[in-house]
Amino acid sequence: MYVFEIITPGTWLESEDRDWAWKIGNLLQSLKSQYFEANLALNLFTEARSARPSFADRGNWERDAQRRSEIRQEVEQEYGGFPGHEHWDELYFETEVRFKREKWSNGFQPREFECNLPFIYARAFLYAIDSFDKFLGVLSKEEGVPQILAELHAQIGEAFPDLRGVRNTAQHLEDRSRGLGAGRNPKPLDLKPVENNMVSAPNGGVLILNSLNGSKYGSTMADGHYGEVDVSPESMERLQKILRQTLEVFEWHGPKQHGPSA
């Protein structure tokens, strides 16, 4: 399990304007919440990727085959014996439905659920960083905050250059899947060349959506380029550095705080 610690230099912001301190303090708290959400998503993603799928276990496969055979015999008996080849599809269908419902009632997840877990957690990581970016952007424009916050906000774009493009595609798959870009009247995508461990398309023309290339979650962005966000400890380290610097530019009073909690 990865735990990316953060130290808040104090308990309350130092300011004679209580309303300002309350507003800025809430924004900083929201920033930390998105940071810890990204940390959690990373852990869940890592765990899901390392888990061995139940359907890949030979022991499970053999037990399932045996149980299917037993259910099939039960169904055949309800038909009064083997019903004949004309009812073969119906017999198979009823066997599969009963078998799957029994598996689900015993706590087994459908294969589609298991396979999709890493993608769900990767998108959760993506959305948490995107929300962190938005909160810091809002914070940097508030009156009375240190000017360096604008520079720190720009560092997110440098650390995650494809963040917004990949997030936009994740939220508008209905357009990208039809080969359309962004906006109210989206234009057809001009698909750019892609070269990575997963796809080799030096001449372009390949649409990639909701993909995992190792620990990198990626999609074709609205400008036709393929973009990725790495769901990794290295990404969290970049976020940690930006959050630490953000907290340190403010003046605080009261005891310093250590997070997350035990």
Side-chain angles (χ1 to χ4, degrees):
M1 179 175 69
Y2 299 105
V3 178
F4 288 88
E5 303 173 28
I6 199 70
I7 295 175
T8 304
T11 307
W12 306 280
L13 288 172
E14 187 71 60
S15 175
E16 294 181 358
D17 187 338
R18 291 187 177 182
D19 291 338
W20 179 89
W22 180 85
K23 179 172 63 174
I24 301 304
N26 280 344
L27 285 172
L28 290 172
Q29 188 59 44
S30 295
L31 203 62
K32 289 193 286 184
S33 294
Q34 294 305 313
Y35 170 80
F36 291 130
E37 189 171 310
N39 192 165
L40 173 60
L42 170 61
N43 286 329
L44 293 171
F45 172 78
T46 303
E47 181 181 350
R49 283 189 69 212
S50 62
R52 179 178 173 82
S54 60
F55 55 81
D57 186 282
R58 182 172 180 80
N60 282 339
W61 183 86
E62 291 175 346
R63 285 190 293 272
D64 287 350
Q66 176 63 31
R67 185 57 186 144
R68 275 190 174 96
S69 177
E70 294 169 355
I71 294 175
R72 182 184 182 84
Q73 292 175 19
E74 294 171 3
V75 176
E76 286 180 1
Q77 289 177 3
E78 293 175 9
Y79 276 90
F82 184 71
H85 292 290
E86 66 274 14
H87 297 291
W88 182 273
D89 289 342
E90 186 177 347
L91 178 65
Y92 173 81
F93 179 82
E94 183 63 24
T95 299
E96 282 298 299
V97 169
R98 294 188 188 186
F99 169 76
K100 289 191 289 185
R101 287 175 177 170
E102 182 178 279
K103 290 276 288 186
W104 300 337
S105 68
N106 289 327
F108 287 88
Q109 292 195 80
R111 183 177 302 183
E112 292 85 349
F113 290 9
E114 289 186 329
C115 292
N116 273 305
L117 279 176
F119 293 89
I120 291 172
Y121 297 141
R123 287 194 296 273
F125 184 82
L126 170 72
Y127 294 148
I129 296 181
D130 181 64
S131 294
F132 183 99
D133 174 47
K134 286 184 170 66
F135 273 116
L136 187 52
V138 169
L139 182 63
S140 68
K141 293 180 176 64
E142 286 291 332
E143 184 178 349
V145 301
Q147 292 184 349
I148 194 175
L149 285 181
E151 298 177 20
L152 292 173
H153 181 231
Q155 288 182 19
I156 298 179
E158 297 169 5
F160 307 99
D162 296 333
L163 173 64
R164 291 161 197 170
V166 175
R167 184 264 297 162
N168 283 341
T169 289
Q171 292 182 335
H172 296 284
L173 285 174
E174 75 284 358
D175 287 333
R176 301 300 178 275
S177 65
R178 294 180 292 154
L180 299 176
R184 290 187 177 180
N185 298 302
K187 296 179 180 180
L189 291 171
D190 178 14
L191 298 171
K192 308 300 183 182
V194 182
E195 285 287 347
N196 56 36
N197 296 332
M198 184 177 58
V199 175
S200 177
N203 297 318
V206 176
L207 178 66
I208 305 171
L209 299 176
N210 194 38
S211 71
L212 279 175
N213 179 19
S215 63
K216 297 177 181 178
Y217 178 81
S219 291
T220 299
M221 301 182 290
D223 64 359
H225 287 92
Y226 175 73
E228 293 178 325
V229 172
D230 195 11
V231 187
S232 68
E234 291 74 21
S235 291
M236 277 303 305
E237 288 171 359
R238 298 189 194 106
L239 208 64
Q240 184 183 48
K241 181 180 179 181
I242 293 171
L243 177 58
R244 176 177 56 78
Q245 291 176 319
T246 297
L247 294 172
E248 289 176 352
V249 301
F250 290 94
E251 294 184 11
W252 298 82
H253 66 95
K256 60 184 179 181
Q257 307 294 310
H258 178 266
S261 61

